[in-house]
Amino acid sequence: MNALMPIPGVIDPVPVPRGADTLRPDGRVDLVGLSKDQLRETLLAAGLEPKQAKLRGKQLWHWIYNRGATDFTAMTDIAKTMHPWLAARFVIGRPDVVTAQLSSDGTRKWLLRSPDGHDYEMVFIPDEDRGTLCVSSQVGCTLNCSFCHTGTMRLVRNLTAGEIVGQVMLARDGLGEWPSAPEGRLLTNIVLMGMGEPLYNFDAVRDAMRLVMDGDGLALSKRRITLSTSGVVPAMARAGEEIGVNLAVSLHAVTKEVRDELVPLNRKYGIEQLLEACAAYPGANNARRITFEYVMLKDKNDTDADARELVRLLKHYRLPAKVNLIPFNPWPGSAYECSAPDRIKRFSDIVFEAGISAPVRSPRGRDIMAACGQLKSAAEKKSRAERDREAALDREAAVAVA
């Protein structure tokens, strides 16, 4: 039976199957996702003396998050005699890559698998002046946004901090960007816009982004990270205070009726509540504008009147805003069509003429279903009982081999 997973903020808990087991099937602990203090505590629990645990924790941190090491034998400042002790108890993991696809426009999409058999996706989008990694925060999604392919999936579970930061580290592996360096990177930006609602997995997202932003670790500036939410209003201020990254809001409509259909969360937290939370978001200013994502749907939300109402709302709440207009990316079974190019341009012009930036986002990765709103793992999901049985068999097999 599924337990209720606590959700940050004063909001109703969402029923989510329990998270990933602490131990991998082979009984080892994955160190990826652990903070400096957690690394030390883990080593203490494994039997090291306090001074040794503190020293080894610092060394492991550097090798894992700055150097990108995945093998203890690469850690030259740790005695060789200790390498087998570490390898027997711990692992420096990466998500397993099930498939990797390359779009005709250079976009890359990976289908990843966790040790307990769950699939999720990440996307890398290269541009001339930046490289953006789109990261998932959950397996599936609970929001059921009607225009979003990912929203047709059931929510399986939250990803752990290790699984979230592991996506960034896997991308760094592929790009050859270890050790960490602030200049000359191909991976320059992160957007939490993959599978799931980041603010429904707040603690893991926060902890993963702290690892990414740590100057001694992956060292990516918070100004280069954007968290996208569909409007989990009670957690937005906390996100600004505890994570401090850029905010993007999936708005997509300017009336209650249409947004209730497109983003059902609007029935709980309406447009007015959402925009008030945006106005209060810590750190938002003209230099760090809030991005409003607006998918362009034919005959649904794309009229001149919609554009003018969008302008009115943003000005009423005095929001430092940028509007990303997203041509709808089709997916099998969708009930919507993309607005015509001239309609999108007219909408953009109205918003621009009001003094608000409203660029039209160029679709990327459509041919491999990697574009905005298209992510969805097609893998069959196993029941918890099936996964528990398989994990138990894997542990038994590992013991027998040992």
PDB file of all heavy atoms in Angstrom, residues 342-373:
ATOM      1  N   ASP A 342       1.613  32.862 -38.027  1.00  0.00           N
ATOM      2  CA  ASP A 342       1.252  34.277 -38.027  1.00  0.00           C
ATOM      3  C   ASP A 342       0.468  34.666 -36.774  1.00  0.00           C
ATOM      4  O   ASP A 342       0.569  35.794 -36.293  1.00  0.00           O
ATOM      5  CB  ASP A 342       0.473  34.632 -39.287  1.00  0.00           C
ATOM      6  CG  ASP A 342      -0.816  33.827 -39.453  1.00  0.00           C
ATOM      7  OD1 ASP A 342      -0.965  32.793 -38.771  1.00  0.00           O
ATOM      8  OD2 ASP A 342      -1.663  34.242 -40.267  1.00  0.00           O
ATOM      9  N   ARG A 343      -0.283  33.723 -36.235  1.00  0.00           N
ATOM     10  CA  ARG A 343      -1.013  33.984 -34.982  1.00  0.00           C
ATOM     11  C   ARG A 343      -0.033  34.121 -33.820  1.00  0.00           C
ATOM     12  O   ARG A 343      -0.179  34.987 -32.961  1.00  0.00           O
ATOM     13  CB  ARG A 343      -2.004  32.838 -34.732  1.00  0.00           C
ATOM     14  CG  ARG A 343      -2.731  32.962 -33.406  1.00  0.00           C
ATOM     15  CD  ARG A 343      -4.080  33.665 -33.533  1.00  0.00           C
ATOM     16  NE  ARG A 343      -4.125  34.984 -34.122  1.00  0.00           N
ATOM     17  CZ  ARG A 343      -4.105  36.128 -33.425  1.00  0.00           C
ATOM     18  NH1 ARG A 343      -3.993  36.127 -32.112  1.00  0.00           N
ATOM     19  NH2 ARG A 343      -4.190  37.275 -34.035  1.00  0.00           N
ATOM     20  N   ILE A 344       0.986  33.242 -33.786  1.00  0.00           N
ATOM     21  CA  ILE A 344       1.994  33.316 -32.732  1.00  0.00           C
ATOM     22  C   ILE A 344       2.738  34.649 -32.823  1.00  0.00           C
ATOM     23  O   ILE A 344       2.979  35.314 -31.806  1.00  0.00           O
ATOM     24  CB  ILE A 344       2.981  32.133 -32.828  1.00  0.00           C
ATOM     25  CG1 ILE A 344       2.237  30.802 -32.619  1.00  0.00           C
ATOM     26  CG2 ILE A 344       4.107  32.274 -31.811  1.00  0.00           C
ATOM     27  CD1 ILE A 344       3.102  29.565 -32.817  1.00  0.00           C
ATOM     28  N   LYS A 345       3.075  35.052 -34.055  1.00  0.00           N
ATOM     29  CA  LYS A 345       3.791  36.324 -34.229  1.00  0.00           C
ATOM     30  C   LYS A 345       2.937  37.500 -33.763  1.00  0.00           C
ATOM     31  O   LYS A 345       3.434  38.419 -33.105  1.00  0.00           O
ATOM     32  CB  LYS A 345       4.200  36.516 -35.685  1.00  0.00           C
ATOM     33  CG  LYS A 345       5.017  37.789 -35.923  1.00  0.00           C
ATOM     34  CD  LYS A 345       5.429  37.953 -37.363  1.00  0.00           C
ATOM     35  CE  LYS A 345       6.346  39.165 -37.532  1.00  0.00           C
ATOM     36  NZ  LYS A 345       5.751  40.427 -37.011  1.00  0.00           N
ATOM     37  N   ARG A 346       1.656  37.480 -34.094  1.00  0.00           N
ATOM     38  CA  ARG A 346       0.768  38.567 -33.680  1.00  0.00           C
ATOM     39  C   ARG A 346       0.677  38.634 -32.158  1.00  0.00           C
ATOM     40  O   ARG A 346       0.732  39.710 -31.565  1.00  0.00           O
ATOM     41  CB  ARG A 346      -0.618  38.342 -34.286  1.00  0.00           C
ATOM     42  CG  ARG A 346      -1.709  39.282 -33.787  1.00  0.00           C
ATOM     43  CD  ARG A 346      -1.410  40.734 -34.111  1.00  0.00           C
ATOM     44  NE  ARG A 346      -2.464  41.606 -33.598  1.00  0.00           N
ATOM     45  CZ  ARG A 346      -2.328  42.901 -33.407  1.00  0.00           C
ATOM     46  NH1 ARG A 346      -1.174  43.504 -33.698  1.00  0.00           N
ATOM     47  NH2 ARG A 346      -3.330  43.621 -32.945  1.00  0.00           N
ATOM     48  N   PHE A 347       0.558  37.485 -31.512  1.00  0.00           N
ATOM     49  CA  PHE A 347       0.506  37.417 -30.045  1.00  0.00           C
ATOM     50  C   PHE A 347       1.788  38.005 -29.453  1.00  0.00           C
ATOM     51  O   PHE A 347       1.751  38.829 -28.539  1.00  0.00           O
ATOM     52  CB  PHE A 347       0.335  35.957 -29.617  1.00  0.00           C
ATOM     53  CG  PHE A 347      -0.071  35.742 -28.192  1.00  0.00           C
ATOM     54  CD1 PHE A 347      -1.369  35.388 -27.867  1.00  0.00           C
ATOM     55  CD2 PHE A 347       0.859  35.866 -27.163  1.00  0.00           C
ATOM     56  CE1 PHE A 347      -1.750  35.174 -26.541  1.00  0.00           C
ATOM     57  CE2 PHE A 347       0.498  35.651 -25.847  1.00  0.00           C
ATOM     58  CZ  PHE A 347      -0.815  35.301 -25.532  1.00  0.00           C
ATOM     59  N   SER A 348       2.920  37.590 -30.002  1.00  0.00           N
ATOM     60  CA  SER A 348       4.214  38.075 -29.540  1.00  0.00           C
ATOM     61  C   SER A 348       4.329  39.585 -29.712  1.00  0.00           C
ATOM     62  O   SER A 348       4.809  40.298 -28.816  1.00  0.00           O
ATOM     63  CB  SER A 348       5.345  37.362 -30.291  1.00  0.00           C
ATOM     64  OG  SER A 348       6.599  37.897 -29.962  1.00  0.00           O
ATOM     65  N   ASP A 349       3.881  40.084 -30.856  1.00  0.00           N
ATOM     66  CA  ASP A 349       3.976  41.520 -31.127  1.00  0.00           C
ATOM     67  C   ASP A 349       3.192  42.340 -30.106  1.00  0.00           C
ATOM     68  O   ASP A 349       3.656  43.396 -29.641  1.00  0.00           O
ATOM     69  CB  ASP A 349       3.465  41.826 -32.532  1.00  0.00           C
ATOM     70  CG  ASP A 349       4.414  41.353 -33.628  1.00  0.00           C
ATOM     71  OD1 ASP A 349       5.583  41.058 -33.303  1.00  0.00           O
ATOM     72  OD2 ASP A 349       3.975  41.273 -34.792  1.00  0.00           O
ATOM     73  N   ILE A 350       2.009  41.873 -29.752  1.00  0.00           N
ATOM     74  CA  ILE A 350       1.172  42.601 -28.788  1.00  0.00           C
ATOM     75  C   ILE A 350       1.879  42.712 -27.441  1.00  0.00           C
ATOM     76  O   ILE A 350       1.905  43.770 -26.811  1.00  0.00           O
ATOM     77  CB  ILE A 350      -0.197  41.914 -28.632  1.00  0.00           C
ATOM     78  CG1 ILE A 350      -1.021  42.071 -29.912  1.00  0.00           C
ATOM     79  CG2 ILE A 350      -0.968  42.490 -27.436  1.00  0.00           C
ATOM     80  CD1 ILE A 350      -2.302  41.268 -29.925  1.00  0.00           C
ATOM     81  N   VAL A 351       2.477  41.608 -27.009  1.00  0.00           N
ATOM     82  CA  VAL A 351       3.169  41.609 -25.714  1.00  0.00           C
ATOM     83  C   VAL A 351       4.433  42.471 -25.783  1.00  0.00           C
ATOM     84  O   VAL A 351       4.715  43.263 -24.876  1.00  0.00           O
ATOM     85  CB  VAL A 351       3.502  40.164 -25.273  1.00  0.00           C
ATOM     86  CG1 VAL A 351       4.209  40.165 -23.919  1.00  0.00           C
ATOM     87  CG2 VAL A 351       2.225  39.318 -25.197  1.00  0.00           C
ATOM     88  N   PHE A 352       5.193  42.341 -26.870  1.00  0.00           N
ATOM     89  CA  PHE A 352       6.400  43.155 -27.049  1.00  0.00           C
ATOM     90  C   PHE A 352       6.076  44.644 -27.065  1.00  0.00           C
ATOM     91  O   PHE A 352       6.782  45.465 -26.453  1.00  0.00           O
ATOM     92  CB  PHE A 352       7.106  42.786 -28.358  1.00  0.00           C
ATOM     93  CG  PHE A 352       8.240  41.821 -28.188  1.00  0.00           C
ATOM     94  CD1 PHE A 352       8.218  40.583 -28.824  1.00  0.00           C
ATOM     95  CD2 PHE A 352       9.353  42.128 -27.406  1.00  0.00           C
ATOM     96  CE1 PHE A 352       9.273  39.683 -28.675  1.00  0.00           C
ATOM     97  CE2 PHE A 352      10.406  41.236 -27.253  1.00  0.00           C
ATOM     98  CZ  PHE A 352      10.358  40.012 -27.887  1.00  0.00           C
ATOM     99  N   GLU A 353       5.011  45.012 -27.763  1.00  0.00           N
ATOM    100  CA  GLU A 353       4.647  46.420 -27.875  1.00  0.00           C
ATOM    101  C   GLU A 353       4.262  47.028 -26.536  1.00  0.00           C
ATOM    102  O   GLU A 353       4.324  48.253 -26.353  1.00  0.00           O
ATOM    103  CB  GLU A 353       3.491  46.564 -28.873  1.00  0.00           C
ATOM    104  CG  GLU A 353       3.929  46.364 -30.322  1.00  0.00           C
ATOM    105  CD  GLU A 353       2.765  46.126 -31.267  1.00  0.00           C
ATOM    106  OE1 GLU A 353       1.600  46.258 -30.812  1.00  0.00           O
ATOM    107  OE2 GLU A 353       3.011  45.799 -32.446  1.00  0.00           O
ATOM    108  N   ALA A 354       3.894  46.166 -25.583  1.00  0.00           N
ATOM    109  CA  ALA A 354       3.563  46.628 -24.234  1.00  0.00           C
ATOM    110  C   ALA A 354       4.810  46.733 -23.352  1.00  0.00           C
ATOM    111  O   ALA A 354       4.707  47.054 -22.160  1.00  0.00           O
ATOM    112  CB  ALA A 354       2.551  45.694 -23.593  1.00  0.00           C
ATOM    113  N   GLY A 355       5.978  46.456 -23.936  1.00  0.00           N
ATOM    114  CA  GLY A 355       7.224  46.589 -23.187  1.00  0.00           C
ATOM    115  C   GLY A 355       7.659  45.344 -22.448  1.00  0.00           C
ATOM    116  O   GLY A 355       8.530  45.397 -21.576  1.00  0.00           O
ATOM    117  N   ILE A 356       7.074  44.193 -22.792  1.00  0.00           N
ATOM    118  CA  ILE A 356       7.412  42.929 -22.133  1.00  0.00           C
ATOM    119  C   ILE A 356       8.018  41.997 -23.173  1.00  0.00           C
ATOM    120  O   ILE A 356       7.430  41.769 -24.239  1.00  0.00           O
ATOM    121  CB  ILE A 356       6.165  42.278 -21.499  1.00  0.00           C
ATOM    122  CG1 ILE A 356       5.565  43.209 -20.449  1.00  0.00           C
ATOM    123  CG2 ILE A 356       6.513  40.923 -20.877  1.00  0.00           C
ATOM    124  CD1 ILE A 356       4.192  42.768 -19.951  1.00  0.00           C
ATOM    125  N   SER A 357       9.187  41.459 -22.876  1.00  0.00           N
ATOM    126  CA  SER A 357       9.853  40.540 -23.804  1.00  0.00           C
ATOM    127  C   SER A 357       9.007  39.290 -23.998  1.00  0.00           C
ATOM    128  O   SER A 357       8.549  38.674 -23.034  1.00  0.00           O
ATOM    129  CB  SER A 357      11.234  40.160 -23.255  1.00  0.00           C
ATOM    130  OG  SER A 357      11.861  39.230 -24.119  1.00  0.00           O
ATOM    131  N   ALA A 358       8.800  38.902 -25.268  1.00  0.00           N
ATOM    132  CA  ALA A 358       7.972  37.724 -25.559  1.00  0.00           C
ATOM    133  C   ALA A 358       8.538  36.965 -26.750  1.00  0.00           C
ATOM    134  O   ALA A 358       7.906  36.870 -27.812  1.00  0.00           O
ATOM    135  CB  ALA A 358       6.529  38.149 -25.815  1.00  0.00           C
ATOM    136  N   PRO A 359       9.736  36.398 -26.624  1.00  0.00           N
ATOM    137  CA  PRO A 359      10.315  35.649 -27.734  1.00  0.00           C
ATOM    138  C   PRO A 359       9.563  34.342 -27.981  1.00  0.00           C
ATOM    139  O   PRO A 359       8.947  33.786 -27.074  1.00  0.00           O
ATOM    140  CB  PRO A 359      11.744  35.383 -27.258  1.00  0.00           C
ATOM    141  CG  PRO A 359      11.628  35.350 -25.768  1.00  0.00           C
ATOM    142  CD  PRO A 359      10.595  36.382 -25.426  1.00  0.00           C
ATOM    143  N   VAL A 360       9.631  33.887 -29.219  1.00  0.00           N
ATOM    144  CA  VAL A 360       9.039  32.601 -29.584  1.00  0.00           C
ATOM    145  C   VAL A 360      10.144  31.553 -29.507  1.00  0.00           C
ATOM    146  O   VAL A 360      11.175  31.672 -30.179  1.00  0.00           O
ATOM    147  CB  VAL A 360       8.433  32.639 -30.998  1.00  0.00           C
ATOM    148  CG1 VAL A 360       7.847  31.279 -31.363  1.00  0.00           C
ATOM    149  CG2 VAL A 360       7.368  33.729 -31.081  1.00  0.00           C
ATOM    150  N   ARG A 361       9.941  30.563 -28.680  1.00  0.00           N
ATOM    151  CA  ARG A 361      10.967  29.528 -28.510  1.00  0.00           C
ATOM    152  C   ARG A 361      10.995  28.620 -29.732  1.00  0.00           C
ATOM    153  O   ARG A 361       9.955  28.100 -30.155  1.00  0.00           O
ATOM    154  CB  ARG A 361      10.700  28.698 -27.250  1.00  0.00           C
ATOM    155  CG  ARG A 361      11.795  27.667 -26.970  1.00  0.00           C
ATOM    156  CD  ARG A 361      11.421  26.740 -25.837  1.00  0.00           C
ATOM    157  NE  ARG A 361      11.307  27.441 -24.566  1.00  0.00           N
ATOM    158  CZ  ARG A 361      10.906  26.834 -23.436  1.00  0.00           C
ATOM    159  NH1 ARG A 361      10.583  25.557 -23.452  1.00  0.00           N
ATOM    160  NH2 ARG A 361      10.828  27.521 -22.320  1.00  0.00           N
ATOM    161  N   SER A 362      12.168  28.405 -30.283  1.00  0.00           N
ATOM    162  CA  SER A 362      12.312  27.494 -31.418  1.00  0.00           C
ATOM    163  C   SER A 362      12.205  26.060 -30.934  1.00  0.00           C
ATOM    164  O   SER A 362      12.934  25.660 -30.023  1.00  0.00           O
ATOM    165  CB  SER A 362      13.664  27.696 -32.111  1.00  0.00           C
ATOM    166  OG  SER A 362      13.767  29.007 -32.616  1.00  0.00           O
ATOM    167  N   PRO A 363      11.296  25.267 -31.494  1.00  0.00           N
ATOM    168  CA  PRO A 363      11.169  23.869 -31.065  1.00  0.00           C
ATOM    169  C   PRO A 363      12.472  23.118 -31.306  1.00  0.00           C
ATOM    170  O   PRO A 363      13.086  23.258 -32.356  1.00  0.00           O
ATOM    171  CB  PRO A 363      10.036  23.324 -31.942  1.00  0.00           C
ATOM    172  CG  PRO A 363       9.290  24.540 -32.405  1.00  0.00           C
ATOM    173  CD  PRO A 363      10.319  25.617 -32.534  1.00  0.00           C
ATOM    174  N   ARG A 364      12.879  22.332 -30.340  1.00  0.00           N
ATOM    175  CA  ARG A 364      14.107  21.546 -30.453  1.00  0.00           C
ATOM    176  C   ARG A 364      13.796  20.086 -30.144  1.00  0.00           C
ATOM    177  O   ARG A 364      13.047  19.777 -29.224  1.00  0.00           O
ATOM    178  CB  ARG A 364      15.173  22.054 -29.471  1.00  0.00           C
ATOM    179  CG  ARG A 364      15.590  23.501 -29.682  1.00  0.00           C
ATOM    180  CD  ARG A 364      16.388  23.686 -30.975  1.00  0.00           C
ATOM    181  NE  ARG A 364      17.607  22.898 -30.975  1.00  0.00           N
ATOM    182  CZ  ARG A 364      18.775  23.330 -30.479  1.00  0.00           C
ATOM    183  NH1 ARG A 364      18.871  24.535 -29.961  1.00  0.00           N
ATOM    184  NH2 ARG A 364      19.841  22.556 -30.537  1.00  0.00           N
ATOM    185  N   GLY A 365      14.406  19.194 -30.904  1.00  0.00           N
ATOM    186  CA  GLY A 365      14.306  17.765 -30.619  1.00  0.00           C
ATOM    187  C   GLY A 365      12.956  17.138 -30.876  1.00  0.00           C
ATOM    188  O   GLY A 365      12.648  16.071 -30.349  1.00  0.00           O
ATOM    189  N   ARG A 366      12.132  17.763 -31.734  1.00  0.00           N
ATOM    190  CA  ARG A 366      10.807  17.201 -31.993  1.00  0.00           C
ATOM    191  C   ARG A 366      10.875  15.798 -32.595  1.00  0.00           C
ATOM    192  O   ARG A 366      10.032  14.947 -32.314  1.00  0.00           O
ATOM    193  CB  ARG A 366      10.025  18.113 -32.945  1.00  0.00           C
ATOM    194  CG  ARG A 366       9.318  19.276 -32.264  1.00  0.00           C
ATOM    195  CD  ARG A 366       8.531  20.086 -33.276  1.00  0.00           C
ATOM    196  NE  ARG A 366       7.622  21.032 -32.630  1.00  0.00           N
ATOM    197  CZ  ARG A 366       6.851  21.890 -33.285  1.00  0.00           C
ATOM    198  NH1 ARG A 366       6.881  21.911 -34.613  1.00  0.00           N
ATOM    199  NH2 ARG A 366       6.051  22.716 -32.641  1.00  0.00           N
ATOM    200  N   ASP A 367      11.887  15.552 -33.446  1.00  0.00           N
ATOM    201  CA  ASP A 367      11.962  14.281 -34.153  1.00  0.00           C
ATOM    202  C   ASP A 367      12.300  13.112 -33.237  1.00  0.00           C
ATOM    203  O   ASP A 367      12.130  11.951 -33.616  1.00  0.00           O
ATOM    204  CB  ASP A 367      12.976  14.366 -35.305  1.00  0.00           C
ATOM    205  CG  ASP A 367      14.354  14.818 -34.843  1.00  0.00           C
ATOM    206  OD1 ASP A 367      14.428  15.613 -33.897  1.00  0.00           O
ATOM    207  OD2 ASP A 367      15.356  14.373 -35.438  1.00  0.00           O
ATOM    208  N   ILE A 368      12.771  13.406 -32.006  1.00  0.00           N
ATOM    209  CA  ILE A 368      13.044  12.326 -31.044  1.00  0.00           C
ATOM    210  C   ILE A 368      12.176  12.483 -29.792  1.00  0.00           C
ATOM    211  O   ILE A 368      12.481  11.929 -28.739  1.00  0.00           O
ATOM    212  CB  ILE A 368      14.545  12.267 -30.654  1.00  0.00           C
ATOM    213  CG1 ILE A 368      15.018  13.608 -30.071  1.00  0.00           C
ATOM    214  CG2 ILE A 368      15.399  11.861 -31.853  1.00  0.00           C
ATOM    215  CD1 ILE A 368      16.418  13.536 -29.465  1.00  0.00           C
ATOM    216  N   MET A 369      11.077  13.247 -29.919  1.00  0.00           N
ATOM    217  CA  MET A 369      10.145  13.478 -28.806  1.00  0.00           C
ATOM    218  C   MET A 369      10.880  14.032 -27.587  1.00  0.00           C
ATOM    219  O   MET A 369      10.666  13.604 -26.449  1.00  0.00           O
ATOM    220  CB  MET A 369       9.410  12.180 -28.438  1.00  0.00           C
ATOM    221  CG  MET A 369       8.455  11.689 -29.508  1.00  0.00           C
ATOM    222  SD  MET A 369       7.006  12.762 -29.695  1.00  0.00           S
ATOM    223  CE  MET A 369       6.062  12.316 -28.244  1.00  0.00           C
ATOM    224  N   ALA A 370      11.780  15.001 -27.840  1.00  0.00           N
ATOM    225  CA  ALA A 370      12.555  15.606 -26.753  1.00  0.00           C
ATOM    226  C   ALA A 370      12.148  17.047 -26.501  1.00  0.00           C
ATOM    227  O   ALA A 370      12.727  17.709 -25.649  1.00  0.00           O
ATOM    228  CB  ALA A 370      14.048  15.555 -27.082  1.00  0.00           C
ATOM    229  N   ALA A 371      11.154  17.545 -27.225  1.00  0.00           N
ATOM    230  CA  ALA A 371      10.754  18.939 -27.088  1.00  0.00           C
ATOM    231  C   ALA A 371       9.892  19.142 -25.851  1.00  0.00           C
ATOM    232  O   ALA A 371       9.437  18.191 -25.216  1.00  0.00           O
ATOM    233  CB  ALA A 371      10.005  19.391 -28.343  1.00  0.00           C
ATOM    234  N   CYS A 372       9.658  20.419 -25.536  1.00  0.00           N
ATOM    235  CA  CYS A 372       8.892  20.766 -24.348  1.00  0.00           C
ATOM    236  C   CYS A 372       7.532  20.080 -24.358  1.00  0.00           C
ATOM    237  O   CYS A 372       6.785  20.158 -25.337  1.00  0.00           O
ATOM    238  CB  CYS A 372       8.714  22.285 -24.295  1.00  0.00           C
ATOM    239  SG  CYS A 372       7.792  22.865 -22.879  1.00  0.00           S
ATOM    240  N   GLY A 373       7.209  19.371 -23.264  1.00  0.00           N
ATOM    241  CA  GLY A 373       5.922  18.706 -23.130  1.00  0.00           C
ATOM    242  C   GLY A 373       5.854  17.331 -23.749  1.00  0.00           C
ATOM    243  O   GLY A 373       4.827  16.666 -23.678  1.00  0.00           O
TER     244      GLY A 373
END
